[in-house]
Structure formats: structure tokens, C-alpha cells
Amino acid sequence: MTSRLAAVAKFTGVSEATVSRVLHNKPGIAPATRDAVLTALDVFGFPRPERIRAERGRLVGLVLPDLQNPIFPAFAEVIAQALIKRGLVPALCTRTADGVSESHYIEMLLSHQVGGIVFVGGSYADAGPEQCRRLEERRLPIVLINAADENLGVPRVCVDDELAVEQALTHLTALGHERVGLVLGPPGHIPSARKLAAYVRFFERRGQSRQWRRWVEHTIFSTEGGRGAATRLLAEGVTGVVCASDALALGAIRAVRKQGLSVPQDVSVIGFDDSTFMGVTDPPLTTVRQPIEPMASAAVASLMAQIEGGVVDRGEILFDPELIVRSSTGPCQS
């Protein structure tokens, strides 16, 4: 015990008496000091006191890019329910317009002795090298769902983006569409990059390796982004549009109508996610559904295994999507 106190005290620059007070969960310790001591325990591989381990395990951060895209609240609801059933408390964190970012939330969660973090549609790498270092030092349980970056070595749960595009393109080409555009998120966004790879392979197999380059647009994930991207694709003569989110697809439908055309008579549109209310849009949206509940369950199971000190697969778990055919796609008329 004395050697442990000395090692932690030297590492943190505080007295052995202060380290002892933290280990015995005594009041009057500054949060920054308490955090530094507990981090030192993790770095040296010393076990945290049972009482502190239990405290750390109750709160789990749930970090989302935003709440405007319906797919993120859908994931949050299922994950939160699963955590609560296990006696854990979800802490919802989402980016805001006034600049609250992943970095801020990670700092806040660490200061509250969070037991783990689930990132949905984002990545802790966005927070910067300092935050990444702190997370690694703390050996904090982390799971990423549909991560925006590669994040090799971190447990990841993802929908199979490449299969999603294969399903969408197979559907449209079966309806006679030869000129199919693709609307993606920003360059460097990993799910979008995977969708693009599948799109390129599909058209290269069909001997259209030159044409597809004019039929791909990158934009922000919003209806306005989808509208602008689809407007540019319509100028290239596409008769079908595959979008990387339902919000992008709704924007694409707006672009079609603004040009005096109709969906699906003139242009077919496919979304991605099958988020809330896509079955009652005008027209009901054909989209590729993410299996939210199985993906959320796998993420929570991975997080729990890490919290409990079990063996965890630090690779990527892929889930098959499902094409949901509705009224926004139809036979090519031109």
C-alpha cells in the first residue's frame, strides 16, 4: 500500500496523504486532483477501490452529432433503455450550434468519473490528440457506432454501408435506371467513403467507369445539402438518386420538384436509415434500413464486457441493412 501511495503521489505531484484521502473517498478533494489520482491508478495498473469502481460504472456518456437527424435519437432511445436495465445512467451529449463539441463533453464526462462512452455517428478522434491520450490513459471503455473515422483497435459496431449501396443500385437498375447519382456526406467521412467504394465497383462492373465520376456529390448531412447536391446531379441527367441519409433524400425530392419534375415518375430517390416517419412522407420514401436494435444491443454488450473487465473484440462488427421499397422509386421513363 505504501509503495502504491508513493508511486501515485510522485506521478501526480500531490502528497501521499492526499492520495490516501482519494482512495478512501474522503470529501474536500478538488475534482481535478481526484481525477489525476484515479488516472494514475489506471496508468500504473493499480485497482481502484471497490467503492470508486462502482461509482465510475454508473454513469455512461452517450455522444451524438446532433438530434435533428432522426436516426440519432432513435439509437439514443434504444441504447439508453439497455443501459438503464443494467443499472447504468446514460448521460446524453450532443453537439450544439454554439460550439459545444466532443472535446468539451469528453472533458466533462471524465471529470464525473464516467464508466464508459458510446459514440454514435461520430468519433472521439474528433476531440483532438490530448483528449485521445487521456482516454487511452484512463483505459476508459468505449464503443463506436457507425464511426466517422477508422479508429482501429476500438470496438466498433457498424451497418454494412457497401451492402446498402449494392441493394439500392440493384433495385434502381432493375427498374431500368442507367444514370444513378450518389449523394454522400463530407469527404473523409468513413461511412460515405465505404458507400462510394461500393458505388464505384458497381458501375465499373457494368463498364461505366467514366460516367460515375459526374454522378457523385459530397455535401453536409441536411435537407439543404441534399437539395443542392441533387440539383447538380439533375443537371447531369440522372434519373435516380441514392442518398447517404434520409434527410439528404428529402432534400433531393425538393430539388426534383423545384425543377417541375416528379418523384418517382421522372426521378427515383432512395434514402438511408429508414428513420422515423419515412413511411408517411410524400411520397413514402424508399430507403435502406439500419437494424437499430441489434446494433445498439451489440454496442451495449461490448461496453459492459469492457466495464466488467472481460475479453472484448476490438475489431468491427458489421450488420446487414435492409432495403425498404416504398413509393419514391419507380421504372425509368427516359
Side-chain angles (χ1 to χ4, degrees):
M1 179 67 172
T2 302
S3 60
R4 179 173 65 165
L5 289 177
V8 173
K10 183 177 180 180
F11 184 84
T12 58
V14 301
S15 68
E16 292 186 25
T18 299
V19 173
S20 179
R21 287 174 62 81
V22 171
L23 296 181
H24 290 89
N25 208 27
K26 299 294 184 180
I29 302 295
T33 301
R34 186 173 188 272
D35 188 37
V37 170
L38 295 177
T39 298
L41 290 175
D42 295 337
V43 170
F44 286 112
F46 297 141
R48 293 184 175 212
E50 185 64 36
R51 186 173 179 180
I52 294 177
R53 288 204 303 271
E55 174 189 335
R56 169 177 165 165
R58 284 198 296 269
L59 187 68
V60 172
L62 182 52
V63 182
L64 312 175
D66 62 69
L67 295 177
Q68 296 180 358
N69 186 336
I71 195 65
F72 297 133
F75 267 114
E77 180 180 10
V78 177
I79 294 169
Q81 290 175 353
L83 292 173
I84 291 169
K85 286 180 180 178
R86 291 164 172 79
L88 302 174
V89 179
L92 182 62
C93 306
T94 182
R95 286 180 181 174
T96 63
D98 57 358
V100 179
S101 64
E102 273 97 341
S103 178
H104 174 86
Y105 282 125
I106 290 172
E107 187 68 32
M108 181 179 66
L109 291 169
L110 288 175
S111 70
H112 284 80
Q113 304 305 313
V114 67
I117 304 178
V118 179
F119 292 88
V120 182
S123 167
Y124 71 93
D126 292 342
E130 176 61 24
Q131 296 290 7
C132 291
R133 182 187 63 78
R134 291 195 63 198
L135 290 173
E136 291 170 0
E137 286 181 351
R138 287 282 295 273
R139 301 177 186 176
L140 191 69
I142 294 174
V143 180
L144 307 176
I145 298 179
N146 292 333
D149 301 309
E150 285 289 0
N151 298 286
L152 299 178
V154 179
R156 286 155 290 145
V157 175
C158 305
V159 68
D160 191 332
D161 293 289
E162 298 187 15
L163 179 57
V165 168
E166 284 277 350
Q167 292 176 345
L169 293 176
T170 298
H171 173 63
L172 288 178
T173 53
L175 292 171
H177 295 275
E178 297 292 331
R179 302 185 302 278
V180 180
L182 181 66
V183 180
L184 299 169
H189 179 250
I190 291 301
S192 293
R194 292 177 175 182
K195 290 181 175 71
L196 177 58
Y199 178 88
V200 171
R201 284 199 306 271
F202 187 90
F203 280 105
E204 287 187 341
R205 287 199 305 267
R206 296 169 62 88
Q208 294 175 280
S209 58
R210 294 182 180 179
Q211 292 94 326
W212 69 261
R213 299 178 189 278
R214 299 183 289 112
W215 300 338
V216 174
E217 289 288 336
H218 290 273
T219 187
I220 60 173
F221 282 105
S222 68
T223 54
E224 284 305 307
R227 184 187 63 79
T231 298
R232 293 187 290 273
L233 291 176
L234 291 172
E236 295 291 341
V238 301
T239 63
V241 181
V242 176
C243 299
S245 77
D246 291 337
L248 290 172
L250 295 179
I253 292 174
R254 289 179 59 189
V256 172
R257 288 175 172 164
K258 190 171 182 179
Q259 296 196 15
L261 304 174
S262 61
V263 175
Q265 289 78 11
D266 298 304
V267 180
S268 289
V269 177
I270 296 181
F272 179 77
D273 287 335
D274 193 27
S275 45
T276 307
F277 304 128
M278 292 304 106
V280 294
T281 56
D282 180 25
L285 185 67
T286 295
T287 185
V288 183
R289 176 181 293 166
Q290 291 201 59
I292 294 175
E293 292 196 9
M295 291 174 67
S297 296
V300 172
S302 176
L303 189 76
M304 292 302 301
Q306 293 177 69
I307 290 174
E308 294 167 357
V311 177
V312 179
D313 181 0
R314 296 191 175 273
E316 182 177 63
I317 304 174
L318 284 179
F319 284 81
D320 288 350
E322 177 186 4
L323 179 68
I324 306 299
V325 178
R326 298 193 180 104
S327 303
S328 67
T329 52
C332 181
Q333 303 297 326
S334 60

